[in-house]
Amino acid sequence: MIDGFGRRIDYLRISVTDRCDLRCRYCMAEKMTFLPRKDVLTLEEIAIIADRFIARGVKKIRLSGGEPLVRRDFGELAHRIGRHLHSGALEELTLTTNGTRLAQHAENLAAAGMKRINVSIDSLDPETYAYVTRGGDIAKVHEGLAAATAAGMRIKINMVAMKGLNDDHFLPMIEWCARQGHDLTLIETMPLGDTGEDRTDRYIPLGEAVDQIEQRYSLEPIAYRSGGPARYYESADLQGIRLGLITPLSDNFCAGCNRMRLTCEGKVFMCLGHENHVDFKTAYRERGMQGVDEALDRALVAKPLAHDFRITPDGVSGVTQRHMSVTGG
Ligand code: SAM
Ligand code: SF4
């Protein structure tokens, strides 16, 4: 699939639920209204839409949310999509999770073909973790990580950088990741949805994190690309750990964007920072497979060149009303 700007689209993110057991301050408001269940795609519908994307050339699928592991039929869905790994039609099936329920799921997900997963931890300090997540227990996440490692999965930690909250936690985090054999990706906080928090104050360019780490350890920029927006460094001083940086605000990454995002409501967003989307749920419910194919064609043509987020002295602009948990981070 090639979009209107000549970019190959081979990566689909699926948000399988907008619900979550945590309320991270940069992601959700304390009190959230979730979608009525009838508006959420069924397992069957997600699997069918995923099948069509794969048939049209998607090679990598990431399951996300909300917290994907709170969806009851998640294991079944992973197996359903995972069978395309056996035929080679799909090259990678992966997951982004907060890890709180990973201990119960790890073995089954490995059996579905997941080899590498992302787990979000913004601080290793139990109190900071509980503050940022509004009540999360990091001990559960450690149990999940141990289970995933025992099941043979590789782990990458996602850490959202926030001024005044965890901007002095970069060194302990990268040192811990190196000891555990996990990779680490740092993310700039993006202005998505209303969370009841002012993210202009929390924004910190990741160059500052790199400076902090480089005061103690070597960091070499490397050419490695995951097909996503991250830029990478490696540190020989830290067991060759790979450090990724996702910098949507300080360094826009859209030129090589290869992805689309299916929300749990069945809307396909072509860009995290734009409101325009194509309604796959209605297309499928009214016209079946043909509807899905037509919707896919419309989505390809409509994918915008770039997002519009900006941080200026006057604040953040280009803010979208959608929460990351709806679109699938
Ligand atoms: N619940 C899972 C988790 O936390 O990993 C998956 C969904 S979460 C929306 C996916 C990723 O998006 C997480 O790594 C999270 O830290 C990140 N995220 C959420 N809101 C964000 C925001 N406003 N800016 C930057 N990253 C955000
Ligand atoms: Fe839940 Fe993930 Fe959002 Fe945190 S970042 S509130 S864990 S969906």
Side-chain angles (χ1 to χ4, degrees):
M1 288 188 287
I2 306 289
D3 78 357
F5 298 97
R7 294 171 296 193
R8 180 179 301 280
I9 309 302
D10 55 8
Y11 182 1
L12 178 66
R13 287 198 174 202
I14 305 178
S15 173
V16 302
T17 176
D18 61 334
R19 286 156 207 265
C20 186
D21 53 342
L22 301 180
R23 293 287 183 278
C24 302
R25 288 173 187 272
Y26 49 79
C27 178
M28 289 196 182
E30 192 155 19
K31 294 214 172 1
M32 292 286 290
T33 314
F34 294 112
L35 291 166
R37 280 187 208 277
K38 67 168 179 32
D39 290 348
V40 173
L41 293 178
T42 64
L43 177 148
E44 190 62 25
E45 288 171 332
I46 297 178
I48 284 172
I49 294 173
D51 286 351
R52 245 4 250 154
F53 270 90
I54 294 167
R56 297 274 303 260
V58 157
K59 296 287 176 208
K60 176 170 173 180
I61 291 185
R62 176 175 297 280
L63 301 176
S64 183
E67 172 47 37
L69 300 184
V70 305
R71 185 164 167 148
R72 222 173 299 136
D73 52 12
F74 183 80
E76 206 181 324
L77 179 66
H79 278 271
R80 207 36 225 272
I81 299 177
R83 66 194 157 86
H84 292 289
L85 294 165
H86 305 305
S87 70
L90 185 66
E91 287 168 7
E92 186 170 24
L93 174 63
T94 178
L95 168 75
T96 304
T97 174
N98 64 28
T100 58
R101 299 179 182 207
L102 192 52
Q104 297 90 296
H105 285 268
E107 215 168 299
N108 190 33
L109 298 183
M114 284 190 191
K115 294 195 166 69
R116 301 188 310 166
I117 59 172
N118 291 358
V119 180
S120 304
I121 307 179
D122 301 317
S123 171
L124 292 166
D125 170 54
E127 274 176 30
T128 309
Y129 181 83
Y131 179 78
V132 170
T133 56
R134 297 194 183 96
D137 174 8
I138 199 168
K140 287 195 188 144
V141 185
H142 284 299
E143 282 168 29
L145 292 171
T149 305
M153 290 193 265
R154 281 209 35 95
I155 292 159
K156 182 161 71 76
I157 302 296
N158 279 351
M159 173 183 187
V160 175
M162 287 163 285
K163 195 191 288 173
L165 272 185
N166 64 357
D167 52 352
D168 53 351
H169 298 213
F170 301 125
L171 273 173
M173 181 63 92
I174 198 168
E175 288 165 348
W176 174 79
C177 285
R179 282 198 303 278
Q180 301 294 319
H182 305 329
D183 285 328
L184 173 64
T185 291
L186 303 178
I187 306 173
E188 285 177 357
T189 169
M190 287 175 254
L192 302 171
D194 182 13
T195 63
E197 298 264 316
D198 181 355
R199 281 164 296 190
T200 321
D201 284 352
R202 291 284 179 222
Y203 169 70
I204 144 168
L206 291 182
E208 289 185 21
V210 170
D211 288 347
Q212 283 185 28
I213 296 169
E214 278 186 322
Q215 285 180 11
R216 191 160 315 164
Y217 302 107
S218 64
L219 279 182
E220 285 295 316
I222 54 170
Y224 173 83
R225 291 285 177 272
S226 59
R231 313 276 157 86
Y232 292 90
Y233 292 78
E234 237 170 43
S235 175
D237 295 345
L238 288 163
Q239 285 91 40
I241 191 175
R242 195 189 286 152
L243 172 69
L245 302 183
I246 300 189
T247 54
L249 293 163
S250 63
D251 185 8
N252 160 327
F253 49 55
C254 307
C257 181
N258 63 346
R259 62 192 59 187
M260 293 206 188
R261 298 163 191 269
L262 172 65
T263 71
C264 55
E265 276 186 287
K267 295 176 180 166
V268 168
F269 284 88
M270 287 69 77
C271 172
L272 200 51
H274 278 260
E275 295 295 344
N276 70 329
H277 61 270
V278 177
D279 180 357
F280 275 58
K281 182 174 68 186
T282 307
Y284 176 68
R285 288 185 184 171
E286 288 179 358
R287 295 194 307 289
M289 281 304 197
Q290 195 189 337
V292 175
D293 269 325
E294 290 163 4
L296 241 167
D297 292 334
R298 284 207 304 281
L300 274 175
V301 175
K303 186 169 164 66
L305 185 58
H307 69 66
D308 292 332
F309 309 140
R310 306 258 178 286
I311 291 240
T312 65
D314 303 328
V316 185
S317 66
V319 180
T320 61
Q321 291 312 305
R322 262 173 301 130
H323 289 92
M324 183 79 121
S325 52
V326 172
T327 327

